[in-house]
């Protein structure tokens, strides 16, 4: 099995990045039952769904939080529901080329922004990298789409072997970097990042799909310096 161990410039924009890898729509996340969950019991009140509809990381509106987010700091473990995540440094680089993987800026004068993170799958089923990228948000002006895409989307690259993370198996951890193209217009040396959590629902009332993790709200938020890659 695949077990790959891989505001701020207010003149630009203060709009937050939110759920869905810098997209502006709520993503319905694939079916994964949390360890110990019992079928036949609704775990999420339907009222919470209303608050999630406006959420979206790197670009969309934040959902209304029931309480202020915790302070997000490098090295601290944040529980999101299906996984725990720890953020490290945020760095910029001219390009990323490892083995057969090559990532370059999307526009002239642009760079790449890489967010170091460690993720541990706390469910009993494989974890998709799309769910991980959905959980990290920030200012829309800090990123741009890859060529040929309409919305910004982060590439999750394993530190161990420089390959794209395909899945994280139950109970396992992966050290990776989340890479986005960054436009030349972004000149700030710090960035506000958010971590979103998910809520498990045994039936999504919008689609009637069972066993669904729904992006919920910002649980931690903090400012990170952006460092130049060595």
């Amino acid at each position: 099995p695949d077990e790959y161990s891989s505001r701020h410039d207010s003149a630009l924009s203060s709009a937050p990045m939110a759920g869905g890898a810098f997209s502006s729509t709520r993503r319905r996340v694939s079916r994964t039952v949390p360890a110990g969950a019992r079928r036949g019991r609704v775990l999420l009140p339907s009222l919470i769904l209303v608050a999630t509809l406006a959420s979206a990381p790197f670009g969309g509106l934040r959902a209304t939080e029931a309480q202020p987010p915790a302070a997000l700091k490098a090295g601290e473990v944040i529980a999101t529901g299906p996984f725990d995540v720890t953020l490290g440094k945020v760095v910029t680089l001219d390009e990323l080329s490892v083995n057969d993987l090559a990532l370059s800026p999307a526009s002239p004068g642009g760079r790449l922004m890489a967010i170091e993170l460690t993720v541990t799958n706390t469910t009993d089923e494989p974890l998709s990298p799309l769910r991980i990228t959905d959980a990290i948000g920030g200012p829309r002006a800090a990123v741009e789409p890859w060529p040929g895409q309409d919305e910004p989307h982060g590439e999750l690259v394993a530190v161990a072997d420089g390959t794209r993370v395909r899945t994280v198996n139950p109970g396992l951890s992966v050290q990776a970097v989340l890479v986005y193209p960054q436009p030349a217009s972004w000149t700030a040396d710090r960035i506000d990042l958010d971590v979103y959590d998910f809520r498990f629902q045994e039936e999504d009332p919008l689609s009637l799909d069972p066993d669904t993790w729904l992006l919920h709200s910002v649980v931690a938020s903090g400012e990170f310096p952006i460092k130049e890659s060595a």
Side-chain angles (χ1 to χ4, degrees), residues 29-35 78-85 119-128 131-132 134-135 168-172 196-200 212-216:
V29 190
S30 59
R31 308 170 183 178
T32 301
V33 182
I78 304 295
T80 71
F83 60 90
D84 293 343
V85 62
V119 171
T120 301
N121 182 353
T122 57
T123 72
D124 57 8
E125 294 189 7
L127 174 66
S128 164
R131 186 170 298 152
I132 299 169
D134 274 355
V168 182
N169 284 325
L172 298 184
Y196 287 71
D197 69 350
F198 299 81
R199 289 293 183 266
F200 180 77
T212 301
W213 284 102
L214 300 177
L215 196 69
H216 183 226

Side-chain angles (χ1 to χ4, degrees), residues 141-221:
V143 298
E144 61 183 342
W146 298 102
Q149 297 186 3
D150 295 327
E151 293 286 345
H153 167 74
E155 291 283 359
L156 195 63
V157 180
V159 170
D161 56 9
T163 60
R164 288 180 173 88
V165 175
R166 304 299 183 187
T167 189
V168 182
N169 284 325
L172 298 184
S173 298
V174 59
Q175 289 183 302
V177 289
L178 181 57
V179 184
Y180 283 94
Q182 191 167 62
S185 57
W186 180 264
T187 59
D189 61 0
R190 309 185 73 81
I191 187 171
D192 288 334
L193 293 178
D194 301 320
V195 173
Y196 287 71
D197 69 350
F198 299 81
R199 289 293 183 266
F200 180 77
Q201 185 153 318
E202 293 189 0
E203 183 175 282
D204 183 349
L206 299 182
S207 65
L208 301 183
D209 282 351
D211 300 340
T212 301
W213 284 102
L214 300 177
L215 196 69
H216 183 226
S217 62
V218 177
V219 290
S221 183

Side-chain angles (χ1 to χ4, degrees), residues 58-79:
F58 280 94
L61 299 175
R62 279 186 178 180
T64 301
E65 287 97 26
Q67 58 186 12
L72 178 60
K73 298 179 181 179
E76 292 189 353
V77 178
I78 304 295

